[in-house]
Amino acid sequence: MPETFDVKLEKKTYRPDPTYLEGSSMGDWETAYGRFMDDPEGFWAGIAGELEWFRKWDRVKEWKHPYARWFTGAKLNITHNCLDRHAAGDRRNKVALIWRGEEEGTERMYTYRQLHRMVMRFANALKKMGIKKGDTVCIYMPLVPEQIVAILACARIGAVHSIVYGGFGAAALHTRIRDAKAKIVITADVGYRRGKRVPLKTIVDEAVINASSVEKVIVLRRAKPLLELISEMEVDFDEVMEGMAPVCEPEVMDAEDPLFILYTSGTTGTPKGIVHTCGGYMVGTYYTSKYVFDLKENDIYWCTADPGWITGHSYIVYGPLAAGATVLITETVPDYPDPGTWWRIVEEFGVTIFYTAPTAIRMFMRFGEEWPGRYNLNSLRILGSVGEPLNPEAFEWYYSVIGKSACPILDTWWQTETGMHMIATLVGEPMKPGFAGRPIPGVVVDVVDREGNPVPPGIGGLLVIKEPWPSMMRTVHGNDERYRTYWNTIDACYTAGDLAVRDEDGYIMVLGRSDDIIIVAGHNLGTAEVESALVSHEAVAEAAVIGKPDPVKGQAVKAFVILRLGFEPGEKLKQDLIYHVRMGLGPIAMPSEIEFVTSLPKTRSGKIMRRVLKAKEMGMDPGDISTLED
Ligand code: ATP
Ligand code: MG
């Protein structure tokens, strides 16, 4: 683990239009955070009280380091809050889900009532196939409404879902099926991606070999002619729903019953199977969807993640639906058939809240302003980001080109493990490019040294969380020891594994992973600092840096750089970039080597895998690369 270190902080601040704060349901940060600090348990009980429970909790929180239980004794079903609550009331005919396929004009919409009924029918089908509370179901599907139905149907009957992103191959799927002992795999014949069919079912065929727990494979057949189902194990998605009653009482779940297992992105090592439970997770995702995104009744909310990642779990499915939002989902990729695709969708559906990842923003920057410029993006109200540090340059571009300098940028720091947003700049609060913001009310965050002592502003250190929160993971599936290390590395803190720095106002900038730290001549550098400095050069679209052994300095910075369209690699540009970083951060951060590349190794969730670059550079074994994008 690194020592603490000095960080050069940007000083720019943007102030959103005051109407954002006036209309926000959270109110200003100081007051809301103060309300939480005055009575932490009362704060969470208040949020939980906005939802419907079959039985109220005895205690809000029980904490026996490192194990937390939230809303003990409470009984609930998360789908009751995502569906029944709305379908029984004024939101009955509100659109819950809008799906847009890859082909122009292919779309489907479901009201809350319709979605509710579909989920209950599919839940009954699962029950009929013998799935009971506590059984595990693996979902390996493209992003179609049936995927959302499958997820919610599992939760309806208390089955634990393990969603595997449809971009994974057979080996990764096989491991996850076995690891979770899934009884059923739900899939589709194909997904559509860039005009091609991805043969999901063929991959499942391979993945279920030697996975003896699997009793049935449910196949959603989309393509014509219908794919033939071969073995007895295989059943058709629509057929199993046929004749099923659209009424299925929700399973009564204990607040601490597991809801799902989900693997982390595998950016820094072998993915961890994170276990989340029903009650706390529901409260956390509902709270942040409603109050951090500041969802309003008429919002058209679009999170571009896939349900195969935590962002999709929390902010496509559970959070926004618990908050009664209209959620847009789409099977499209951002640059097919052209880089205007997503902006066309924003215009077409009047999207108001848009939530994406820095990797997508940097890709759009590379294609240039003319693509978003062709569409009317005036419906947009709030722009979100998650997954990696949002470089100041990417912030500026997102803010001015997409948000027309009028939309708050919501850079949300959180993890699969945290289940919900932890750090963000609340809508209406002053924004600082490069800084995610302050801990949201309900969350206690600190930046500390190796011994756990808080470090002053301007000094980089380890990002930790000091108090348990409702949607925290409860364990790592099959590896509770790994769970305990999160809480035991630094005394009484949850260690996130990220480096961060705070400014005088308590705003937090994430500097990269503590595993990726570069130590040049005794000085620590977070990867994000150097990468952001590179990205701030007009020629650079994306950059990744690693530390390379150096006989004099201990480590030297090597940078891998993708250029924006219209720029040519060359010696002169290399020197320019080195000078640019030197001017921005000083001589320590200066790359000693720059390599121009056309792509960077990324996880399938779109994060740069620096450990792969490093291993390749040094001729070492890259370790677990199961989540590496092809
Ligand atoms: P693994 O834990 O397997 O290495 P991962 O950490 O990438 O994978 P996720 O849970 O998907 O798995 O990602 C969480 C991490 O993503 C955080 O620890 C952080 O490094 C990064 N991250 C997420 N949001 C932000 C953000 N807004 N700013 C900076 N970093 C972010
Ligand atoms: Mg992680």
Side-chain angles (χ1 to χ4, degrees):
M1 226 188 278
E3 299 288 351
T4 56
F5 51 101
D6 290 327
V7 181
K8 200 170 163 193
L9 298 179
E10 291 255 353
K11 285 276 180 266
K12 210 160 174 181
T13 301
Y14 286 95
R15 288 179 196 283
D17 190 285
T19 52
Y20 275 101
L21 193 56
E22 284 156 21
S24 110
S25 18
M26 182 86 92
D28 72 281
W29 182 86
E30 261 89 11
T31 314
Y33 202 84
R35 213 163 5 99
F36 156 64
M37 290 302 272
D38 287 346
D39 179 10
E41 293 192 10
F43 175 87
W44 283 115
I47 305 281
E50 294 177 21
L51 294 161
E52 290 175 6
W53 302 75
F54 303 144
R55 180 186 186 276
K56 281 266 153 81
W57 49 92
D58 301 317
R59 294 180 59 188
V60 173
K61 179 179 80 178
E62 269 176 32
W63 176 236
K64 281 199 201 84
H65 179 92
Y67 300 105
R69 291 159 49 81
W70 283 84
F71 308 107
T72 57
K75 304 287 176 196
L76 75 143
N77 188 292
I78 195 166
T79 69
H80 174 86
N81 280 291
C82 292
L83 299 168
D84 306 49
R85 197 163 72 89
H86 312 306
D90 291 345
R91 297 197 182 108
R92 176 180 307 129
N93 297 321
K94 176 172 175 172
V95 174
L97 208 58
I98 304 174
W99 173 80
R100 164 71 148 70
E102 209 179 54
E103 267 169 60
E104 205 84 27
T106 48
E107 64 187 53
R108 289 193 266 156
M109 295 198 194
Y110 299 85
T111 61
Y112 269 99
R113 183 180 148 79
Q114 289 173 316
L115 186 62
H116 186 212
R117 287 167 62 92
M118 247 178 107
V119 167
M120 291 194 288
R121 288 177 62 208
F122 195 67
N124 278 330
L126 289 176
K127 268 188 173 170
K128 198 173 164 201
M129 293 164 100
I131 298 299
K132 297 180 302 293
K133 176 175 173 180
D135 288 343
T136 316
V137 172
C138 174
I139 299 176
Y140 178 71
M141 293 182 87
L143 186 34
V144 289
E146 287 83 353
Q147 185 190 27
I148 311 294
V149 168
I151 295 169
L152 293 168
C154 287
R156 186 80 176 173
I157 63 172
V160 177
H161 56 71
S162 168
I163 309 180
V164 180
Y165 172 55
F168 273 121
L173 178 59
H174 175 79
T175 320
R176 284 160 170 72
I177 291 172
R178 280 186 67 135
D179 201 31
K181 299 193 180 60
K183 272 194 163 177
I184 285 194
V185 178
I186 308 174
T187 190
D189 52 354
V190 294
Y192 292 95
R193 206 177 160 84
R194 299 181 194 282
K196 294 205 180 73
R197 290 177 179 183
V198 185
L200 298 177
K201 169 63 170 45
T202 315
I203 295 168
V204 171
D205 289 345
E206 201 184 324
V208 296
I209 297 172
N210 294 326
S212 57
S213 62
V214 179
E215 293 167 7
K216 290 269 182 242
V217 176
I218 305 179
V219 189
L220 175 73
R221 291 187 289 176
R222 310 174 70 196
K224 298 275 160 17
L226 288 184
L227 179 90
E228 211 177 318
L229 300 178
I230 26 185
S231 78
E232 233 168 68
M233 224 174 138
E234 300 169 358
V235 291
D236 178 81
F237 192 100
D238 295 324
E239 269 168 36
V240 297
M241 264 171 79
E242 240 157 62
M244 289 295 140
V247 180
C248 172
E249 287 307 313
E251 188 73 30
V252 176
M253 305 296 285
D254 188 88
E256 285 297 324
D257 280 336
L259 178 64
F260 64 82
I261 303 172
L262 177 67
Y263 292 83
T264 58
S265 293
T267 313
T268 56
T270 306
K272 297 155 287 249
I274 302 300
V275 178
H276 281 287
T277 52
C278 295
Y281 179 81
M282 171 175 79
V283 173
T285 53
Y286 160 79
Y287 163 59
T288 44
S289 296
K290 182 160 167 50
Y291 292 95
V292 177
F293 279 118
D294 198 24
L295 270 170
K296 304 289 187 226
E297 208 52 57
N298 290 327
D299 273 319
I300 304 288
Y301 167 92
W302 180 16
C303 164
T304 70
D306 187 274
W309 309 113
I310 192 66
T311 305
H313 280 63
S314 300
Y315 298 112
I316 291 178
V317 186
Y318 291 114
L321 293 179
T326 296
V327 178
L328 186 135
I329 56 172
T330 161
E331 210 175 351
T332 57
V333 294
D335 56 347
Y336 179 87
D338 62 58
T341 304
W342 279 8
W343 311 125
R344 215 151 43 235
I345 292 176
V346 168
E347 179 182 292
E348 192 178 336
F349 295 95
V351 172
T352 56
I353 303 182
F354 180 72
Y355 190 31
T356 197
T359 183
I361 299 167
R362 291 188 298 251
M363 188 199 76
F364 288 125
M365 290 169 74
R366 198 169 147 211
F367 287 120
E369 295 180 18
E370 62 273 19
W371 284 104
R374 291 182 195 183
Y375 302 95
N376 181 344
L377 307 180
N378 288 343
S379 59
L380 290 171
R381 199 167 76 74
I382 292 165
L383 299 173
S385 171
V386 60
E388 291 183 291
L390 181 62
N391 324 90
E393 192 69 15
F395 177 107
E396 302 276 355
W397 192 90
Y398 201 22
Y399 183 69
S400 62
V401 177
I402 305 303
K404 315 288 179 227
S405 304
C407 301
I409 304 286
L410 197 60
D411 179 7
T412 59
W413 178 88
W414 59 295
Q415 310 178 296
T416 311
E417 294 90 331
T418 70
M420 67 169 195
H421 300 152
M422 303 301 276
I423 303 174
T425 299
L426 298 182
V427 168
E429 291 287 337
M431 301 169 286
K432 307 189 187 195
F435 290 84
R438 289 175 286 196
I440 64 166
V443 172
V444 185
V445 162
D446 211 343
V447 181
V448 301
D449 66 17
R450 274 197 279 198
E451 277 71 50
N453 307 304
V455 297
I459 304 292
L462 297 159
L463 184 58
V464 297
I465 304 164
K466 293 206 138 162
E467 292 290 338
W469 62 102
S471 66
M472 59 187 261
M473 67 164 158
R474 298 302 195 264
T475 187
V476 174
H477 182 66
N479 191 354
D480 196 58
E481 197 185 321
R482 180 69 188 85
Y483 168 77
R484 290 193 299 270
T485 50
Y486 283 92
W487 285 96
N488 288 335
T489 305
I490 293 174
D491 203 27
C493 289
Y494 168 90
T495 309
D498 286 353
L499 300 172
V501 63
R502 212 176 353 209
D503 75 358
E504 299 285 348
D505 302 322
Y507 278 57
I508 289 167
M509 174 185 281
V510 178
L511 299 168
R513 312 295 184 120
S514 44
D515 287 2
D516 291 335
I517 191 147
I518 305 174
I519 307 173
V520 182
H523 294 267
N524 292 271
L525 284 171
T527 50
E529 287 179 272
V530 189
E531 289 163 5
S532 289
L534 284 162
V535 171
S536 72
H537 189 283
E538 56 166 6
V540 178
E542 186 147 42
V545 300
I546 58 166
K548 240 181 118 168
D550 180 279
V552 182
K553 296 183 275 187
Q555 278 188 321
V557 176
K558 166 146 191 191
F560 299 83
V561 170
I562 301 179
L563 294 178
R564 286 213 208 187
L565 294 183
F567 289 89
E568 290 300 322
E571 203 47 44
K572 163 87 175 55
L573 184 55
K574 271 188 194 172
Q575 293 314 317
D576 278 0
L577 293 180
I578 292 171
Y579 180 73
H580 185 76
V581 176
R582 188 194 166 103
M583 293 316 287
L585 294 174
I588 291 294
M590 223 167 71
S592 58
E593 221 182 303
I594 288 186
E595 185 175 328
F596 294 111
V597 293
T598 50
S599 69
L600 289 167
K602 286 189 181 165
T603 62
R604 288 169 207 266
S605 59
K607 301 173 194 230
I608 300 171
M609 288 170 95
R610 294 171 195 80
R611 66 186 168 96
V612 172
L613 287 170
K614 195 161 178 173
K616 202 168 150 226
E617 189 67 26
M618 284 146 71
M620 291 175 347
D621 172 18
D624 188 320
I625 50 164
S626 60
T627 65
L628 181 68
E629 211 178 41
D630 302 324

